[in-house]
Amino acid sequence: MFSKACEYGIKASIFIALNSLEHRRVGPKEISKEINSPEAFTAKILQALVRNNIVNSIKGAHGGFEIDKKDIKTIMLADIVNAIDGDNIYKGCGLGLQQCNADKPCPMHEKFKLVRAELKNLLESTDLESLALDIKLGESFLKN
Amino acid sequence: MFSKACEYGIKASIFIALNSLEHRRVGPKEISKEINSPEAFTAKILQALVRNNIVNSIKGAHGGFEIDKKDIKTIMLADIVNAIDGDNIYKGCGLGLQQCNADKPCPMHEKFKLVRAELKNLLESTDLESLALDIKLGESFLKN
DNA sequence: TGTAAAGAGGACAATTTTGTCCGAATTAAA
DNA sequence: TTTAATTCGGACAAAATTGTCCTCTTTACA
Ligand code: FES
Ligand code: FES
């Protein structure tokens, strides 16, 4: 469904948000440990999230990654997925036609667009704050 | 969403079904032309579909691929996807946790399982015959 | 029985994705 | 001002996916 990079990016963002709510910065080492991902690769993904203005990085001693507290409830999963995997998952044809076009649809189009819409709804209606709070309450987990 | 191999496998199956309904066998060359896929790679995928008893192959002169007419309406998209991509798309966690487990869910679990169920429903309720007939009626297309 | 038309299968190659490493730049604090 | 802790960026490496090619086997038919 999502690329590994995207999965790591989402989980990292949630973990950073969780910590930013308590004014703690976190680094790649702690993040990759908490989300069970390779550290160096995770660091690369964090760079991408920084470039896309989803997380902030503070260099130097006592640095790390954080998310502006006021932004945590407005950053949607869709923003993260878009930054890393692009928008093909929303807009692309399920059978890989060059473009999904209702006027010349693939055989799966009618049914597939429902799945895509459900996914789009999920991603566009879910913000980082709610996900972070679920973790905090022990109702969900970032690794198993 | 699906791998290229799976996309080609689905489209090839539909095209073979379409022809089998009219008692024509087709080969990799014609198939790859009709579904706009690389010929040799498509041939590899056809082998996999044969091994999984989804299509039959007849070797030798006048050979080619076909699907038993009586099977066309009982072969579901799910069978093809399963044969090529496995069942991760139905059962796997959206955030890549080793297993999707409602007792220790990832933060996306509650919403993601709806998307997955919608997809599962699509794949398990769609048979090759209906897809092939849509093509035949000019209501859908295998390339653009 | 010979030949041409097919699929099967293995080796290989290209590309993309995933992952690692290291030096440079930045910053806080001693 | 030095040092240690940190992110950044580029080069590199490994693995997975996608794609190609060639030979072998099978089969229909002249
Ligand atoms: S054309 Fe394939 S999903 Fe719309
Ligand atoms: S645990 Fe992630 S989708 Fe169920």
Side-chain angles (χ1 to χ4, degrees):
Chain A
M1 184 73 73
F2 306 115
S3 68
K4 282 291 166 195
C6 194
E7 290 176 2
Y8 299 152
I10 293 171
K11 289 189 276 194
S13 298
I14 295 172
F15 182 66
I16 296 166
L18 182 60
N19 282 277
S20 291
L21 287 174
E22 315 196 332
H23 303 95
R24 287 186 68 239
R25 285 177 194 152
V26 285
K29 182 167 317 212
E30 188 180 357
I31 294 171
S32 59
K33 192 180 162 198
E34 289 300 319
I35 71 177
N36 193 32
S37 67
E39 179 179 333
F41 189 41
T42 306
K44 272 279 159 6
I45 296 157
L46 289 167
Q47 287 184 38
L49 292 173
V50 169
R51 278 195 298 274
N52 282 275
N53 302 309
I54 292 169
V55 317
N56 302 121
S57 69
I58 290 85
K59 285 190 196 175
H62 294 196
F65 297 91
E66 63 181 20
I67 302 179
D68 285 355
K69 217 172 171 181
K70 67 174 170 40
D71 293 339
I72 293 178
K73 64 169 66 64
T74 62
I75 295 174
M76 299 292 165
L77 277 182
D79 300 320
I80 300 169
V81 171
N82 231 287
I84 300 177
D85 278 353
D87 59 10
N88 197 263
I89 199 132
Y90 305 108
K91 301 185 180 168
C93 167
L95 286 185
L97 298 197
Q98 299 202 331
Q99 54 164 0
C100 170
N101 177 355
D103 291 338
K104 197 172 177 185
C106 76
M108 277 179 36
H109 178 85
E110 285 304 317
K111 291 184 168 181
F112 187 72
K113 69 181 184 186
L114 300 176
V115 176
R116 227 173 27 189
E118 184 85 30
L119 180 62
K120 188 166 187 250
N121 177 58
L122 187 180
L123 295 173
E124 291 183 345
S125 73
T126 308
D127 64 274
L128 271 187
E129 186 180 58
S130 64
L131 298 172
L133 291 178
D134 275 2
I135 301 281
K136 194 173 173 181
L137 293 171
E139 289 172 358
S140 68
F141 307 85
L142 290 171
K143 61 179 173 184
N144 61 0
Chain B
M1 183 75 73
F2 306 114
S3 67
K4 282 291 167 196
C6 194
E7 290 175 2
Y8 299 151
I10 293 171
K11 289 189 275 194
S13 298
I14 295 171
F15 182 66
I16 295 167
L18 181 60
N19 282 278
S20 292
L21 287 173
E22 315 195 332
H23 303 95
R24 285 186 72 239
R25 285 179 193 150
V26 286
K29 182 167 318 210
E30 188 180 357
I31 295 171
S32 58
K33 192 179 162 199
E34 287 301 318
I35 72 177
N36 195 31
S37 67
E39 179 179 334
F41 188 42
T42 306
K44 274 278 154 21
I45 297 158
L46 289 168
Q47 287 183 38
L49 292 174
V50 169
R51 279 193 297 274
N52 282 274
N53 302 308
I54 291 168
V55 316
N56 302 121
S57 70
I58 290 85
K59 285 191 197 176
H62 294 197
F65 297 92
E66 62 180 21
I67 302 179
D68 284 355
K69 219 173 169 180
K70 66 172 172 38
D71 292 340
I72 292 178
K73 64 170 65 64
T74 64
I75 295 174
M76 297 294 163
L77 277 182
D79 300 320
I80 300 168
V81 172
N82 230 287
I84 300 177
D85 278 354
D87 60 9
N88 197 262
I89 198 131
Y90 306 106
K91 302 185 178 168
C93 168
L95 286 185
L97 299 197
Q98 299 204 329
Q99 54 166 0
C100 170
N101 177 355
D103 291 338
K104 197 172 178 184
C106 76
M108 276 180 38
H109 178 84
E110 285 305 318
K111 290 183 171 183
F112 187 73
K113 69 181 184 185
L114 301 177
V115 176
R116 225 173 29 189
E118 184 85 30
L119 181 62
K120 187 167 189 247
N121 177 59
L122 187 179
L123 296 173
E124 292 184 345
S125 72
T126 309
D127 64 274
L128 272 187
E129 187 180 57
S130 64
L131 298 172
L133 291 179
D134 275 3
I135 301 282
K136 195 172 173 182
L137 294 171
E139 290 172 359
S140 67
F141 307 85
L142 290 170
K143 61 179 173 183
N144 61 0

mmCIF file of all heavy atoms in Angstrom, chain A residues 91-97 99-102 104-110 112-113 116, chain B residues 144, ligand 1:
data_model
loop_
_atom_site.group_PDB
_atom_site.id
_atom_site.type_symbol
_atom_site.label_atom_id
_atom_site.label_comp_id
_atom_site.label_asym_id
_atom_site.label_seq_id
_atom_site.Cartn_x
_atom_site.Cartn_y
_atom_site.Cartn_z
ATOM 1 N N LYS A 91 -4.892 9.309 -6.905
ATOM 2 C CA LYS A 91 -5.355 9.646 -8.244
ATOM 3 C C LYS A 91 -5.101 8.567 -9.275
ATOM 4 O O LYS A 91 -5.708 8.555 -10.330
ATOM 5 C CB LYS A 91 -4.657 10.952 -8.704
ATOM 6 C CG LYS A 91 -4.936 12.132 -7.779
ATOM 7 C CD LYS A 91 -4.322 13.417 -8.334
ATOM 8 C CE LYS A 91 -4.605 14.598 -7.400
ATOM 9 N NZ LYS A 91 -3.797 15.801 -7.750
ATOM 10 N N GLY A 92 -4.140 7.686 -8.991
ATOM 11 C CA GLY A 92 -3.718 6.712 -9.986
ATOM 12 C C GLY A 92 -4.727 5.614 -10.239
ATOM 13 O O GLY A 92 -5.592 5.326 -9.414
ATOM 14 N N CYS A 93 -4.608 4.998 -11.417
ATOM 15 C CA CYS A 93 -5.469 3.880 -11.787
ATOM 16 C C CYS A 93 -5.012 2.617 -11.069
ATOM 17 O O CYS A 93 -3.819 2.338 -10.975
ATOM 18 C CB CYS A 93 -5.399 3.671 -13.294
ATOM 19 S SG CYS A 93 -6.120 2.100 -13.838
ATOM 20 N N GLY A 94 -5.952 1.862 -10.570
ATOM 21 C CA GLY A 94 -5.642 0.623 -9.862
ATOM 22 C C GLY A 94 -4.976 -0.421 -10.728
ATOM 23 O O GLY A 94 -4.256 -1.287 -10.233
ATOM 24 N N LEU A 95 -5.199 -0.348 -12.019
ATOM 25 C CA LEU A 95 -4.568 -1.303 -12.928
ATOM 26 C C LEU A 95 -3.376 -0.704 -13.665
ATOM 27 O O LEU A 95 -2.861 -1.283 -14.607
ATOM 28 C CB LEU A 95 -5.582 -1.845 -13.936
ATOM 29 C CG LEU A 95 -6.587 -2.846 -13.361
ATOM 30 C CD1 LEU A 95 -7.468 -3.409 -14.454
ATOM 31 C CD2 LEU A 95 -5.855 -3.976 -12.643
ATOM 32 N N GLY A 96 -2.971 0.495 -13.229
ATOM 33 C CA GLY A 96 -1.765 1.079 -13.785
ATOM 34 C C GLY A 96 -1.918 1.770 -15.127
ATOM 35 O O GLY A 96 -0.914 2.069 -15.771
ATOM 36 N N LEU A 97 -3.139 2.032 -15.563
ATOM 37 C CA LEU A 97 -3.282 2.838 -16.788
ATOM 38 C C LEU A 97 -2.625 4.190 -16.534
ATOM 39 O O LEU A 97 -2.562 4.663 -15.399
ATOM 40 C CB LEU A 97 -4.756 3.033 -17.167
ATOM 41 C CG LEU A 97 -5.580 1.786 -17.500
ATOM 42 C CD1 LEU A 97 -6.851 2.174 -18.242
ATOM 43 C CD2 LEU A 97 -4.786 0.776 -18.307
ATOM 44 N N GLN A 99 -3.410 7.162 -16.868
ATOM 45 C CA GLN A 99 -4.197 8.025 -15.994
ATOM 46 C C GLN A 99 -5.581 7.434 -15.812
ATOM 47 O O GLN A 99 -6.154 6.843 -16.724
ATOM 48 C CB GLN A 99 -4.292 9.457 -16.542
ATOM 49 C CG GLN A 99 -4.796 9.520 -17.947
ATOM 50 C CD GLN A 99 -5.252 10.914 -18.338
ATOM 51 O OE1 GLN A 99 -5.204 11.860 -17.558
ATOM 52 N NE2 GLN A 99 -5.714 11.038 -19.575
ATOM 53 N N CYS A 100 -6.094 7.603 -14.609
ATOM 54 C CA CYS A 100 -7.451 7.150 -14.331
ATOM 55 C C CYS A 100 -8.412 8.151 -14.947
ATOM 56 O O CYS A 100 -8.391 9.331 -14.619
ATOM 57 C CB CYS A 100 -7.682 7.080 -12.818
ATOM 58 S SG CYS A 100 -9.411 6.800 -12.382
ATOM 59 N N ASN A 101 -9.235 7.649 -15.863
ATOM 60 C CA ASN A 101 -10.104 8.541 -16.610
ATOM 61 C C ASN A 101 -11.479 7.889 -16.721
ATOM 62 O O ASN A 101 -11.624 6.846 -17.358
ATOM 63 C CB ASN A 101 -9.486 8.757 -18.000
ATOM 64 C CG ASN A 101 -10.342 9.612 -18.905
ATOM 65 O OD1 ASN A 101 -11.464 9.991 -18.537
ATOM 66 N ND2 ASN A 101 -9.822 9.928 -20.073
ATOM 67 N N ALA A 102 -12.468 8.533 -16.123
ATOM 68 C CA ALA A 102 -13.807 7.943 -16.097
ATOM 69 C C ALA A 102 -14.395 7.780 -17.494
ATOM 70 O O ALA A 102 -15.284 6.965 -17.710
ATOM 71 C CB ALA A 102 -14.743 8.795 -15.237
ATOM 72 N N LYS A 104 -12.635 6.798 -20.100
ATOM 73 C CA LYS A 104 -12.038 5.607 -20.718
ATOM 74 C C LYS A 104 -11.449 4.756 -19.592
ATOM 75 O O LYS A 104 -10.235 4.661 -19.436
ATOM 76 C CB LYS A 104 -10.959 5.998 -21.738
ATOM 77 C CG LYS A 104 -10.625 4.848 -22.674
ATOM 78 C CD LYS A 104 -9.704 5.251 -23.809
ATOM 79 C CE LYS A 104 -9.385 4.007 -24.648
ATOM 80 N NZ LYS A 104 -8.393 4.286 -25.710
ATOM 81 N N PRO A 105 -12.338 4.191 -18.801
ATOM 82 C CA PRO A 105 -11.908 3.558 -17.549
ATOM 83 C C PRO A 105 -11.358 2.154 -17.747
ATOM 84 O O PRO A 105 -11.694 1.464 -18.711
ATOM 85 C CB PRO A 105 -13.210 3.497 -16.757
ATOM 86 C CG PRO A 105 -14.262 3.306 -17.794
ATOM 87 C CD PRO A 105 -13.786 4.085 -18.992
ATOM 88 N N CYS A 106 -10.525 1.734 -16.797
ATOM 89 C CA CYS A 106 -10.091 0.351 -16.762
ATOM 90 C C CYS A 106 -11.236 -0.486 -16.184
ATOM 91 O O CYS A 106 -12.199 0.071 -15.645
ATOM 92 C CB CYS A 106 -8.840 0.203 -15.893
ATOM 93 S SG CYS A 106 -9.167 0.271 -14.117
ATOM 94 N N PRO A 107 -11.145 -1.806 -16.271
ATOM 95 C CA PRO A 107 -12.271 -2.645 -15.819
ATOM 96 C C PRO A 107 -12.547 -2.542 -14.312
ATOM 97 O O PRO A 107 -13.646 -2.852 -13.869
ATOM 98 C CB PRO A 107 -11.810 -4.064 -16.178
ATOM 99 C CG PRO A 107 -10.782 -3.892 -17.246
ATOM 100 C CD PRO A 107 -10.102 -2.607 -16.935
ATOM 101 N N MET A 108 -11.559 -2.111 -13.539
ATOM 102 C CA MET A 108 -11.779 -2.022 -12.102
ATOM 103 C C MET A 108 -12.283 -0.651 -11.668
ATOM 104 O O MET A 108 -12.642 -0.452 -10.506
ATOM 105 C CB MET A 108 -10.475 -2.331 -11.339
ATOM 106 C CG MET A 108 -10.210 -3.820 -11.138
ATOM 107 S SD MET A 108 -8.645 -4.142 -10.258
ATOM 108 C CE MET A 108 -8.568 -2.790 -9.092
ATOM 109 N N HIS A 109 -12.281 0.289 -12.589
ATOM 110 C CA HIS A 109 -12.507 1.687 -12.215
ATOM 111 C C HIS A 109 -13.685 1.944 -11.273
ATOM 112 O O HIS A 109 -13.514 2.548 -10.212
ATOM 113 C CB HIS A 109 -12.650 2.557 -13.459
ATOM 114 C CG HIS A 109 -12.922 3.997 -13.162
ATOM 115 N ND1 HIS A 109 -11.924 4.899 -12.893
ATOM 116 C CD2 HIS A 109 -14.093 4.695 -13.048
ATOM 117 C CE1 HIS A 109 -12.458 6.086 -12.632
ATOM 118 N NE2 HIS A 109 -13.777 5.999 -12.728
ATOM 119 N N GLU A 110 -14.869 1.463 -11.654
ATOM 120 C CA GLU A 110 -16.067 1.799 -10.867
ATOM 121 C C GLU A 110 -15.952 1.372 -9.410
ATOM 122 O O GLU A 110 -16.308 2.112 -8.503
ATOM 123 C CB GLU A 110 -17.321 1.196 -11.510
ATOM 124 C CG GLU A 110 -17.778 1.920 -12.758
ATOM 125 C CD GLU A 110 -18.034 3.413 -12.524
ATOM 126 O OE1 GLU A 110 -18.628 3.752 -11.491
ATOM 127 O OE2 GLU A 110 -17.620 4.233 -13.372
ATOM 128 N N PHE A 112 -13.025 0.393 -7.940
ATOM 129 C CA PHE A 112 -11.779 0.845 -7.338
ATOM 130 C C PHE A 112 -11.870 2.273 -6.834
ATOM 131 O O PHE A 112 -11.280 2.624 -5.803
ATOM 132 C CB PHE A 112 -10.622 0.725 -8.335
ATOM 133 C CG PHE A 112 -9.276 1.009 -7.741
ATOM 134 C CD1 PHE A 112 -8.685 0.110 -6.865
ATOM 135 C CD2 PHE A 112 -8.596 2.190 -8.036
ATOM 136 C CE1 PHE A 112 -7.450 0.367 -6.298
ATOM 137 C CE2 PHE A 112 -7.351 2.451 -7.469
ATOM 138 C CZ PHE A 112 -6.789 1.544 -6.613
ATOM 139 N N LYS A 113 -12.643 3.077 -7.496
ATOM 140 C CA LYS A 113 -12.704 4.474 -7.067
ATOM 141 C C LYS A 113 -13.321 4.595 -5.672
ATOM 142 O O LYS A 113 -13.024 5.541 -4.944
ATOM 143 C CB LYS A 113 -13.447 5.341 -8.092
ATOM 144 C CG LYS A 113 -14.915 5.098 -8.221
ATOM 145 C CD LYS A 113 -15.511 6.015 -9.304
ATOM 146 C CE LYS A 113 -17.018 5.859 -9.382
ATOM 147 N NZ LYS A 113 -17.610 6.631 -10.510
ATOM 148 N N ARG A 116 -10.425 3.908 -3.308
ATOM 149 C CA ARG A 116 -9.553 5.076 -3.307
ATOM 150 C C ARG A 116 -10.163 6.222 -2.520
ATOM 151 O O ARG A 116 -9.477 6.934 -1.783
ATOM 152 C CB ARG A 116 -9.320 5.507 -4.760
ATOM 153 C CG ARG A 116 -7.904 5.780 -5.120
ATOM 154 C CD ARG A 116 -7.764 6.034 -6.603
ATOM 155 N NE ARG A 116 -8.976 6.580 -7.217
ATOM 156 C CZ ARG A 116 -9.150 6.711 -8.514
ATOM 157 N NH1 ARG A 116 -8.192 6.340 -9.348
ATOM 158 N NH2 ARG A 116 -10.265 7.212 -9.001
ATOM 159 N N ASN B 144 -4.603 2.729 -22.403
ATOM 160 C CA ASN B 144 -5.068 4.058 -22.827
ATOM 161 C C ASN B 144 -3.943 4.821 -23.504
ATOM 162 O O ASN B 144 -2.960 4.237 -23.905
ATOM 163 C CB ASN B 144 -5.636 4.853 -21.631
ATOM 164 C CG ASN B 144 -4.599 5.097 -20.535
ATOM 165 O OD1 ASN B 144 -3.456 4.677 -20.655
ATOM 166 N ND2 ASN B 144 -5.000 5.798 -19.507
HETATM 167 S S1 FES E 1 -9.172 3.967 -14.878
HETATM 168 FE FE1 FES E 1 -8.416 2.418 -13.618
HETATM 169 S S2 FES E 1 -9.105 3.098 -11.704
HETATM 170 FE FE2 FES E 1 -9.901 4.644 -12.971
#
